Amino acid sequence: MHGFSWFSFMRSGDEKPKVTRELLLRVLAYARDYWWHIAGMLVTILLTTGLSLLTPLIFRNMIDVVIPARDTRQLIWLGLALLFIPALNGGINVLQRRLNSTVGEGVIYDLRSALFSRLQRMSLRFFTNTKTGELMSRLNSDVVRVFAVALSHRFCGFDRCRLGHSKKVEGQLTFCLDIFH
């Protein structure tokens, strides 16, 4: 009764599934078509991190070298660099958000298509025991919630270096993936 079937998940109220290596590999399989976008997001995160590290170095150079030497030309260039860095950082952030939304929306579309395809192959008995409206609402909301969290920085951990997921997301992730069994 406690297997990984559709009905066992629907009945289990307090039992929360654990995130295992196999479950994460199943989720990552949906992101396989978007590896270049994900790599691009990682590159943009590294670029913005590197740019944010330049600002203190420029200030150090200004205070320790340029101002005592009274070099106004280098002071102007470093001041312009301090203006240019946030603008470049903003442009890179726009690209990063674009890549993130492309991956997120693409994975949501792929998962939703797979779920509805699988749902159409379910037996008639399944639909007599399940309210279709509630099922469709649950499928739509769970797909969006799971991948909104899974592909956000909170779950991927690229720029926060942490893996912050909740038990509710684990349950929804398992719910979405268990329909394939």
Side-chain angles (χ1 to χ4, degrees):
M1 269 298 168
H2 292 283
F4 290 107
S5 69
W6 174 268
F7 291 109
S8 67
F9 183 77
M10 296 286 282
R11 283 188 223 118
S12 64
D14 293 335
E15 291 182 28
K16 301 295 181 184
K18 292 186 177 187
V19 175
T20 62
R21 183 174 188 255
E22 292 80 22
L23 183 63
L24 287 176
L25 289 175
R26 288 175 67 189
V27 172
L28 290 176
Y30 285 99
R32 187 176 297 132
D33 295 337
Y34 305 98
W35 283 114
W36 287 108
H37 293 90
I38 294 170
M41 285 186 341
L42 182 59
V43 167
T44 58
I45 290 168
L46 293 174
L47 282 174
T48 56
T49 303
L51 284 174
S52 67
L53 294 175
L54 281 178
T55 303
L57 295 175
I58 291 173
F59 275 120
R60 184 185 69 180
N61 191 19
M62 287 173 90
I63 293 170
D64 293 343
V65 177
V66 176
I67 293 175
R70 297 181 189 265
D71 187 1
T72 56
R73 192 166 91 196
Q74 191 175 6
L75 183 66
I76 290 171
W77 281 110
L78 291 177
L80 288 174
L82 287 174
L83 291 174
F84 179 70
I85 287 173
L88 183 61
N89 201 1
I92 292 172
N93 281 335
V94 168
L95 176 64
Q96 180 184 352
R97 289 176 195 258
R98 171 69 184 220
L99 291 171
N100 192 15
S101 65
T102 300
V103 172
E105 294 298 321
V107 170
I108 287 171
Y109 175 78
D110 294 344
L111 181 64
R112 189 174 283 159
S113 296
L115 281 171
F116 284 118
S117 174
R118 174 72 174 138
L119 192 62
Q120 289 175 346
R121 291 190 308 262
M122 298 294 273
S123 69
L124 186 59
R125 180 177 174 215
F126 172 78
F127 291 105
T128 58
N129 294 332
T130 309
K131 294 180 182 177
T132 307
E134 290 178 9
L135 177 67
M136 299 303 280
S137 174
R138 175 92 191 253
L139 288 174
N140 280 328
S141 65
D142 283 356
V143 167
V144 172
R145 270 190 245 139
V146 166
F147 283 100
V149 172
L151 292 175
S152 72
H153 299 301
R154 289 184 303 264
F155 191 84
C156 291
F158 284 140
D159 70 348
R160 300 287 192 285
C161 296
R162 63 185 173 142
L163 197 67
H165 59 286
S166 66
K167 293 291 183 185
K168 185 175 184 179
V169 172
E170 290 174 17
Q172 291 168 349
L173 183 61
T174 305
F175 172 79
C176 289
L177 294 175
D178 281 346
I179 196 169
F180 294 109
H181 281 303

